[in-house]
Amino acid sequence: TKHWEHLNKNEKFALAKAIKYFHLDIIGTNSYIKAQVCSGGIKLDEINLDTFESKKEKGLYFVGEILDVDGDCGGYNLSFAWISGMKCGKSL
């Protein structure tokens, strides 16, 4: 019920320690349908990262979430999708 500035040194240390060592046991996950991130996709070493063209099939390009790139929640996957698309488009 106290603000940080009203805690003494020991209370601040105890709070910081409690936050740092906070532990949760993960007991399960939701279904694949409800997943926010699914790993996998086309490996980055299979494409030219300057153009996003497949190294296996000339003229075939891959961008965005079909690639094996995982980003944190908060728009990072969308940002990668847009930026990889723009970079690929400029190379064409």
Side-chain angles (χ1 to χ4, degrees):
T1 60
K2 292 183 182 179
H3 287 265
W4 179 261
E5 66 267 15
H6 298 169
L7 298 177
N8 66 40
K9 184 177 180 179
N10 289 335
E11 290 171 321
K12 288 179 180 180
F13 180 78
L15 180 58
K17 185 177 179 182
I19 292 169
K20 181 176 181 179
Y21 294 105
F22 183 75
H23 178 81
L24 288 174
D25 290 321
I26 298 172
I27 58 172
T29 61
N30 252 333
S31 67
Y32 178 80
I33 301 277
K34 294 183 179 180
Q36 289 192 14
V37 174
C38 296
S39 293
I42 298 164
K43 292 178 174 37
L44 295 182
D45 63 357
E46 295 180 4
I47 65 164
N48 177 332
L49 291 175
D50 292 324
T51 64
F52 290 88
E53 183 177 21
S54 170
K55 291 179 180 178
K56 294 182 176 185
E57 186 68 36
K58 295 295 178 198
L60 183 61
Y61 297 81
F62 300 105
V63 298
E65 292 191 355
I66 198 165
L67 297 170
D68 188 12
V69 174
D70 298 329
D72 290 337
C73 288
Y76 297 101
N77 290 321
L78 289 172
S79 295
F80 176 74
W82 295 324
I83 292 167
S84 62
M86 288 173 49
K87 191 169 180 179
C88 176
K90 286 182 178 184
S91 76
L92 294 172

